[in-house]
C-alpha cells in the first residue's frame, strides 16, 4: 500500500516528522539591575545549618553578578549558582573609587564558638538587604580537614550563611585541589632532580640531558631555564654559547639532602602522614629520605594565592619559592627546578575569585583559605580589590583571634595589597568571655555548665581583659573598632551591658548586641548602623613594625606589643635559621607568627589575658614566594589529626533526593 507516493513496509511505522523545537532564549539580567533581597522565613526553634541552607532560595548567579555590575563575559559559570570572576574586571573598573574596607576579627577563640563568619555574613545581610547599601562579603574557602574533622564547615551559621552551603564547604570550583596538585608536582620535581643529579656525576652529561641537541645539533632553553640563567648572571640565550663552567653552574643544583624544605600536602586531616619515608621503591633504592605531609591550606602556594595581585605576580612568586638549599648554603627555588611555569598553569584558574551569595541574596566572594595559626589566614587580595570596586562596603574576615588573624591582616596582607582598612569589627560573646575568666571546661556532647547559661557577672568580669587587650591591639594600628556582641538566648541584660560598657571604656567606638544567627540581617541592623557611622570617622592606619628591623626585633615587637609577653627565647635551631635567612637576604620580609590560636601565649591552656610569661621560638621557616618568614612558637602542627569521633560520621547522601545530610 502506498501512502503519498512512499512505500511503507508492513508492520513498520513511518518515522515521525521532525518538529523544530522552540528554543526560548532567556535574557540575561541587565548589568546594574536593582538589588533584590531574598526574604527569609525565620523558624523557631532555629533548624540546623544545613536545613536552613537547603531551604534557602537561591538567585541565579547571573542575577547576583548583574546587580553588582559584573558583565556576563566577565564570568566563568560553574552551574547556575556559582561562578568565577575574570581578573579583567579590574582593568575595566580601575578608575572607580574604592568602597569602605572592614575587617571582622574576634576575641581569642574557645570551643564555645564566637561566630565570626556568622557575624561577617549577618553584617553583610543587614547592610545590603535592610539598609540598602551596596555590600560584598569576602571570605575564605574552608579546608576539608576541619570540615570532616572536628570543627565542621565555615559558611556561617543559622540564618547568616553563604549558599549553596554544600558547595562552599566541599569542592567549590576546585581551587584547593589545584593547590594540592601544584604543590605535589613541585615535590616530585625536587626529589626527581636530586636523584638524577646523584645518578649523573658528570656535569656535561647532565647539561646534555637538560638541553638535548636536536638532529641538527641545535639546543633550546625553556622559558624557566632563561629565568634561572638570569638569576645566575649568565646573559646568554643559546645553550651552545655557554662555557664549560657556565654549563656546570646552570645544570647542577647540588641540593643538600639535609636542606630540603618542601614536603607534600593533602587536604585531609591525616596524622599518619606527618612524617614519612620516601624513595623505598626498587628503582629509587639508595635515594630514601624522610619527608612528610602538611595540610593543603598550609601550603605556601595557598599563601601565594591569597597574597598575589595578578597572574604575572603569581608567576614570579611561584618561581621565588625556596624548596631547598644547596651545599654552599644558597637557596634553591622552584624556578631553579624548572617547574614554576607548570605550577602557574595548574593555578591559572584558581586565581579567579568565586562568586556566591548569602541567604538574603547579598553577593559574596569566596577565595583562598590559608589557616591563620600556621599561615596568614586571609581571603585573597584579588577578591578584596574586585569587591572594593564593586561595593560601597566590603566585609572581609581574618582567621582566629585578633592577635593572629588581624595582626597578619594589617602587617602582611595590607603591606602587599596597599589597601587601608577603615574599621575593625571585633566579635565577642558572653559565654566565651566567661571561659576566659576561668569557666569550666566544655566537653563536646555534654550540656553546658550553669556558669555559661546562668547570669554570672563575676566570672564575666574576670574574662573581660581578653576583649580589652584585643581592642587595644587593633587601636595600635590606628584603626577604629566596633565590638559585635554575638548574643545567645541565655545572655542577660546585665551581662551584655557589662560587655558593652567595658568595650567602650577600652576605646571601641561602639559595642552592639547582634542576633543575626537567629534573625539573619534583621538581627544585625543595629550593628550595621554602627559600622556605617564608624566608617565615616577618620583613621590613621600604620604598621606595627618597619620591615628594616632585624628578624628578632620584629618577633619581639609582636610578642611584647600584641601578646604582652615579657620576652622571647630562641632554640639553637631557630637562632641558626635566623642567621641563615638573614644572610640569604630574607631578613626584610614581614613575619607570620605560627602559634596556637587558643591563647595570647604559646600554650593553648592559658586563657584570658596572661601576664608574666615568655614565648619560645622553636623554629623559623621561609615562605619567600608568599613573602614572609614564619616563626614557630612552641609546638605547632602543620597537619591536624582526626578525633575519635570525627564529624564525617554524620555526613551522608540522601539517595532519594540526592541531598547532602549531616554536614553539620
Amino acid at each position: 500500500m502506498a501512502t503519498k507516493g512512499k512505500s511503507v513496509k508492513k508492520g513498520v511505522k513511518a518515522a515521525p516528522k521532525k518538529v523544530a523545537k522552540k528554543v526560548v532564549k532567556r535574557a540575561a539580567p541587565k548589568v546594574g539591575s536593582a538589588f533584590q533581597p531574598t526574604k527569609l522565613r525565620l523558624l523557631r526553634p532555629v533548624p540546623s545549618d544545613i536545613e536552613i541552607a537547603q531551604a534557602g532560595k537561591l538567585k541565579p548567579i547571573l542575577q547576583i553578578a548583574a546587580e553588582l555590575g559584573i558583565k556576563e563575559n566577565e564570568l566563568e559559570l560553574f552551574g547556575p549558582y556559582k561562578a568565577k570572576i575574570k581578573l579583567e574586571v579590574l582593568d575595566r573598573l580601575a578608575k572607580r573609587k574604592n568602597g569602605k574596607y572592614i575587617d571582622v576579627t574576634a576575641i581569642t577563640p574557645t570551643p564555645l564558638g564566637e561566630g565570626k563568619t556568622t557575624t561577617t555574613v549577618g553584617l553583610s545581610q543587614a547592610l545590603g538587604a535592610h539598609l540598602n547599601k551596596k555590600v560584598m562579603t569576602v571570605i575564605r574557602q574552608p579546608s576539608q580537614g576541619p570540615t570532616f574533622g572536628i570543627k565542621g564547615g565555615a559558611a556561617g551559621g543559622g540564618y547568616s550563611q553563604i549558599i549553596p552551603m554544600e558547595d562552599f564547604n566541599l569542592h567549590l570550583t576546585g581551587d584547593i585541589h589545584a593547590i594540592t596538585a601544584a604543590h605535589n608536582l613541585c615535590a616530585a620535581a625536587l626529589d626527581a632532580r636530586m636523584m638524577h643529579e646523584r645518578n649523573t656525576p658528570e656535569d656535561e652529561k647532565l647539561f646534555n640531558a637538560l638541553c638535548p641537541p636536536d638532529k641538527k645539533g641545535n639546543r633550546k632553553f625553556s622559558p624557566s631555564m632563561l629565568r634561572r640563567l638570569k638569576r645566575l648572571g649568565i646573559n646568554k640565550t643559546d645553550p651552545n654559547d655557554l662555557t664549560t663552567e657556565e654549563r656546570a653552574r646552570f645544570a647542577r643544583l647540588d641540593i643538600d639532602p639535609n636542606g630540603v624544605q618542601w614536603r607534600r600536602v593533602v587536604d585531609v586531616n591525616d596524622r599518619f602522614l606527618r612524617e614519612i619515608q620516601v624513595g623505598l621503591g626498587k628503582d629509587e633504592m639508595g635515594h630514601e629520605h624522610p619527608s612528610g605531609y602538611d595540610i593543603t591550606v598550609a601550603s605556601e602556594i595557598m599563601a601565594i594565592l591569597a597574597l598575589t595581585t595578578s597572574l604575572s605576580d603569581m608567576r614570579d612568586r611561584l618561581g621565588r619559592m625556596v624548596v631547598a638549599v644547596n651545599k654552599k648554603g644558597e637557596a634553591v627555588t622552584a624556578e631553579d627546578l624548572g617547574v614554576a611555569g607548570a605550577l602557574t598553569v595548574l593555578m591559572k584558574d584558581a586565581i579567579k575569585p568565586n562568586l556566591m551569595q548569602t541567604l538574603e541574596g547579598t553577593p559574596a566572594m569566596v577565595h583562598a583559605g590559608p589557616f591563620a595559626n600556621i599561615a596568614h589566614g586571609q581571603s585573597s587580595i584579588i577578591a578584596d580589590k574586585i569587591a572594593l570596586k564593586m561595593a560601597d562596603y566590603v566585609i572581609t574576615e581574618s582567621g582566629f583571634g585578633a592577635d593572629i588573624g588581624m595582626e597578619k591582616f594589617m602587617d602582611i596582607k595590607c603591606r602587599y595589597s596597599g589597601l587601608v582598612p577603615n574599621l575593625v569589627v571585633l566579635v565577642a560573646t558572653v559565654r566565651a568571655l566567661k571561659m576566659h575568666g576561668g569557666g569550666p571546661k566544655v566537653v563536646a556532647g555534654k550540656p553546658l555548665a550553669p556558669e555559661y547559661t546562668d547570669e554570672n557577672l563575676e566570672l564575666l568580669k574576670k574574662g573581660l581583659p581578653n576583649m580589652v587587650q584585643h581592642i587595644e591591639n587593633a587601636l595600635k594600628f590606628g584603626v577604629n573598632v566596633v565590638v559585635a556582641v554575638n548574643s545567645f538566648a541565655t545572655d542577660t541584660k546585665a551581662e551584655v551591658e557589662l560587655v558593652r560598657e567595658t568595650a567602650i571604656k577600652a576605646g571601641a567606638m561602639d559595642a552592639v548586641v547582634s542576633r543575626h544567627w537567629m534573625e539573619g540581617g534583621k538581627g544585625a541592623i543595629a550593628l550595621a548602623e554602627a559600622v556605617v557611622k564608624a566608617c565615616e570617622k577618620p583613621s590613621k592606619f600604620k604598621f606595627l613594625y618597619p620591615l628594616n628591623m632585624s628578624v628578632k626585633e620584629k618577633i619581639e615587637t609582636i610578642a611584647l606589643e600584641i601578646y604582652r609577653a615579657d620576652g622571647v627565647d630562641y632554640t639553637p635551631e631557630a637562632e641558626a635559621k635566623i642567621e641563615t635567612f638573614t644572610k640569604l637576604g630574607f631578613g626584610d620580609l614581614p613575619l607570620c607568627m605560627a602559634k596556637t590560636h587558643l591563647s595570647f601565649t604559646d600554650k593553648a591552656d592559658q586563657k584570658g589575658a596572661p601576664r608574666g610569661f615568655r614565648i619560645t621560638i622553636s623554629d623559623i621557616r621561609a615562605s619567600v614566594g608568599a613573602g614572609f618568614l614564619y616563626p614557630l612558637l612552641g609546638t605547632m602542627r602543620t597537619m591536624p589529626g582526626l578525633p575519635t569521633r570525627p564529624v564525617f560520621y554524620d555526613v551522608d547522601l540522601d539517595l532519594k533526593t540526592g541531598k547532602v545530610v549531616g554536614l553539620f
Side-chain angles (χ1 to χ4, degrees), residues 239-308:
N240 292 320
D241 291 342
L242 267 63
T243 65
T244 301
E245 188 271 337
E246 288 171 339
R247 290 186 177 197
R249 285 180 60 211
F250 162 77
R252 192 164 297 281
L253 300 182
D254 204 22
I255 295 165
D256 183 350
N258 296 318
V260 172
Q261 298 175 25
W262 198 259
R263 290 153 55 93
R264 275 94 173 151
V265 297
V266 64
D267 197 38
V268 175
N269 288 358
D270 195 342
R271 66 172 70 238
F272 283 90
L273 292 178
R274 286 171 180 165
E275 302 295 334
I276 63 170
Q277 186 82 354
V278 298
L280 300 180
K282 181 181 178 182
D283 294 338
E284 293 73 41
M285 193 173 296
H287 299 281
E288 307 92 336
H289 62 88
S291 185
Y293 275 80
D294 300 326
I295 196 158
T296 297
V297 288
S299 168
E300 183 175 354
I301 297 176
M302 173 63 86
I304 287 172
L305 178 64
L307 289 171
T308 194

Side-chain angles (χ1 to χ4, degrees), residues 48 50-51 54 148 165-166 170 647-664:
S48 70
I50 196 166
E51 288 175 312
Q54 290 179 343
F148 290 124
M165 181 259 267
E166 304 96 310
L170 299 174
V647 295
F648 65 63
Y649 270 83
D650 301 312
V651 179
D652 213 321
L653 195 68
D654 185 322
L655 299 178
K656 292 182 179 179
T657 64
K659 288 185 176 181
V660 175
V661 296
L663 195 55
F664 292 90

Side-chain angles (χ1 to χ4, degrees), residues 455 491-498:
E455 184 174 285
D491 299 345
T492 68
K493 288 184 179 180
E495 288 175 330
V496 169
E497 191 56 32
L498 179 58

Side-chain angles (χ1 to χ4, degrees), residues 487-549:
S487 185
F488 291 81
T490 55
D491 299 345
T492 68
K493 288 184 179 180
E495 288 175 330
V496 169
E497 191 56 32
L498 179 58
V499 175
R500 289 189 68 257
E501 289 175 357
T502 305
I504 293 169
K505 186 177 179 181
M509 294 196 73
D510 205 345
V512 183
V513 176
S514 194
R515 296 184 176 87
H516 42 275
W517 180 81
M518 60 189 80
E519 297 177 9
K522 177 185 172 184
I525 291 175
L527 175 61
E529 290 171 339
V531 165
V532 170
K533 184 178 178 181
C535 281
E536 298 307 316
K537 301 293 183 182
S539 60
K540 297 180 180 178
F541 175 69
K542 59 183 178 181
F543 298 118
L544 188 67
Y545 54 81
L547 293 181
N548 59 8
M549 271 186 171

Side-chain angles (χ1 to χ4, degrees), residues 25-349:
K25 190 173 181 181
R26 188 176 176 183
K30 186 178 179 181
V31 173
S33 303
F35 171 73
Q36 298 292 324
T38 304
K39 291 184 179 180
L40 290 177
R41 182 169 170 259
L42 304 176
L43 300 177
R44 296 291 182 273
V46 177
S48 70
D49 288 352
I50 196 166
E51 288 175 312
I52 293 172
Q54 290 179 343
K57 185 179 179 182
L58 285 154
K59 295 195 296 191
I61 203 65
L62 287 175
Q63 182 181 346
I64 297 287
E67 291 171 354
L68 271 173
I70 300 175
K71 299 177 180 179
E72 187 173 354
N73 63 5
E74 292 170 334
L75 296 173
E76 290 178 0
L77 299 178
F78 281 74
Y81 304 119
K82 57 183 185 285
K84 279 193 168 290
I85 303 174
K86 297 179 183 177
L87 304 194
E88 289 80 358
V89 72
L90 279 170
D91 297 328
R92 178 169 65 86
L93 302 174
K95 295 181 180 179
R96 186 177 291 183
K97 183 181 176 182
N98 282 352
K100 303 293 185 183
Y101 195 28
I102 298 135
D103 181 45
V104 178
T105 184
I107 62 171
T108 304
T110 70
L112 291 162
E114 290 63 59
K116 185 160 50 21
T117 304
T118 307
T119 301
T120 300
V121 177
L123 173 57
S124 293
Q125 291 177 163
L127 285 165
H130 298 270
L131 298 187
N132 201 30
K133 304 290 185 183
K134 200 167 186 182
V135 66
M136 175 76 90
T137 311
V138 186
I139 58 177
R140 293 173 294 162
Q141 179 184 354
S143 162
Q144 288 182 172
T147 295
F148 290 124
I150 194 168
K151 180 185 175 187
Y159 287 103
S160 294
Q161 295 187 58
I162 304 292
I163 52 175
M165 181 259 267
E166 304 96 310
D167 295 7
F168 177 97
N169 283 309
L170 299 174
H171 306 288
L172 196 54
T173 57
D175 295 349
I176 292 181
H177 300 316
I179 292 164
T180 302
H183 185 109
N184 291 336
L185 174 61
C186 189
L190 175 60
D191 280 344
R193 183 59 174 267
M194 291 175 67
M195 183 190 76
H196 290 306
E197 285 197 15
R198 187 174 171 183
N199 290 345
T200 314
E202 306 89 355
D203 293 338
E204 186 67 19
K205 189 175 180 181
L206 184 62
F207 177 80
N208 288 333
L210 291 169
C211 298
D214 61 19
K215 292 180 180 179
K216 296 182 179 180
N218 296 319
R219 304 175 190 265
K220 184 180 178 182
F221 284 129
S222 71
S224 193
M225 289 176 174
L226 291 171
R227 288 179 181 240
R228 170 163 166 75
L229 287 167
K230 185 177 180 181
R231 182 169 173 246
L232 293 173
I234 302 173
N235 298 313
K236 296 177 181 179
T237 57
D238 186 343
N240 292 320
D241 291 342
L242 267 63
T243 65
T244 301
E245 188 271 337
E246 288 171 339
R247 290 186 177 197
R249 285 180 60 211
F250 162 77
R252 192 164 297 281
L253 300 182
D254 204 22
I255 295 165
D256 183 350
N258 296 318
V260 172
Q261 298 175 25
W262 198 259
R263 290 153 55 93
R264 275 94 173 151
V265 297
V266 64
D267 197 38
V268 175
N269 288 358
D270 195 342
R271 66 172 70 238
F272 283 90
L273 292 178
R274 286 171 180 165
E275 302 295 334
I276 63 170
Q277 186 82 354
V278 298
L280 300 180
K282 181 181 178 182
D283 294 338
E284 293 73 41
M285 193 173 296
H287 299 281
E288 307 92 336
H289 62 88
S291 185
Y293 275 80
D294 300 326
I295 196 158
T296 297
V297 288
S299 168
E300 183 175 354
I301 297 176
M302 173 63 86
I304 287 172
L305 178 64
L307 289 171
T308 194
T309 53
S310 67
L311 193 59
S312 61
D313 177 67
M314 183 174 73
R315 172 64 178 81
D316 290 341
R317 287 175 178 270
L318 290 170
R320 291 199 301 268
M321 293 188 307
V322 176
V323 297
V325 294
N326 64 21
K327 292 175 182 177
K328 294 179 180 178
E330 299 165 333
V332 177
T333 67
E335 199 73 77
D336 294 326
L337 286 175
V339 75
L343 303 184
T344 308
V345 170
L346 287 172
M347 293 294 295
K348 70 180 177 62
D349 294 317

Side-chain angles (χ1 to χ4, degrees), residues 1-10 12-14 17:
M1 179 179 178
T3 306
K4 294 186 179 179
K6 292 183 180 179
S7 86
V8 179
K9 293 180 180 178
K10 188 176 180 180
V12 179
K13 293 183 180 179
K17 292 182 179 180

Side-chain angles (χ1 to χ4, degrees), residues 286-503:
H287 299 281
E288 307 92 336
H289 62 88
S291 185
Y293 275 80
D294 300 326
I295 196 158
T296 297
V297 288
S299 168
E300 183 175 354
I301 297 176
M302 173 63 86
I304 287 172
L305 178 64
L307 289 171
T308 194
T309 53
S310 67
L311 193 59
S312 61
D313 177 67
M314 183 174 73
R315 172 64 178 81
D316 290 341
R317 287 175 178 270
L318 290 170
R320 291 199 301 268
M321 293 188 307
V322 176
V323 297
V325 294
N326 64 21
K327 292 175 182 177
K328 294 179 180 178
E330 299 165 333
V332 177
T333 67
E335 199 73 77
D336 294 326
L337 286 175
V339 75
L343 303 184
T344 308
V345 170
L346 287 172
M347 293 294 295
K348 70 180 177 62
D349 294 317
I351 195 175
K352 302 164 191 171
N354 305 293
L355 182 63
M356 299 184 76
Q357 63 190 286
T358 71
L359 280 166
E360 295 193 56
T362 59
M365 270 197 279
V366 182
H367 200 213
F371 276 0
N373 55 350
I374 51 180
H376 70 292
Q378 316 293 325
S379 55
S380 77
I381 287 173
I382 284 177
D384 285 0
K385 286 194 167 187
I386 293 173
L388 286 164
K389 295 298 181 185
M390 293 284 179
D392 297 325
Y393 294 88
V394 173
I395 317 296
T396 191
E397 173 192 341
S398 296
F400 293 128
D403 59 315
I404 296 182
M406 183 202 69
E407 185 271 317
K408 295 172 183 178
F409 173 83
M410 305 291 186
D411 280 324
I412 299 176
K413 187 176 183 181
C414 289
R415 280 189 204 271
Y416 287 118
S417 70
L419 301 172
V420 175
N422 296 92
L423 185 69
V424 165
V425 174
L426 181 75
V427 181
T429 67
V430 168
R431 300 192 312 184
L433 288 168
K434 285 179 178 179
M435 176 167 275
H436 283 295
K441 185 178 179 180
V442 174
V443 180
K446 291 187 178 181
L448 287 177
E451 286 89 341
Y452 298 117
T453 56
D454 299 340
E455 184 174 285
N456 193 326
L457 295 175
E458 285 304 310
L459 186 61
L460 179 58
K461 283 179 184 177
K462 291 178 182 178
L464 285 170
N466 183 273
M467 178 185 70
V468 169
Q469 185 167 326
H470 285 298
I471 294 171
E472 292 171 349
N473 286 347
L475 295 174
K476 288 183 179 185
F477 292 95
V479 182
N480 294 322
V481 180
V482 167
V483 172
V485 185
N486 188 13
S487 185
F488 291 81
T490 55
D491 299 345
T492 68
K493 288 184 179 180
E495 288 175 330
V496 169
E497 191 56 32
L498 179 58
V499 175
R500 289 189 68 257
E501 289 175 357
T502 305

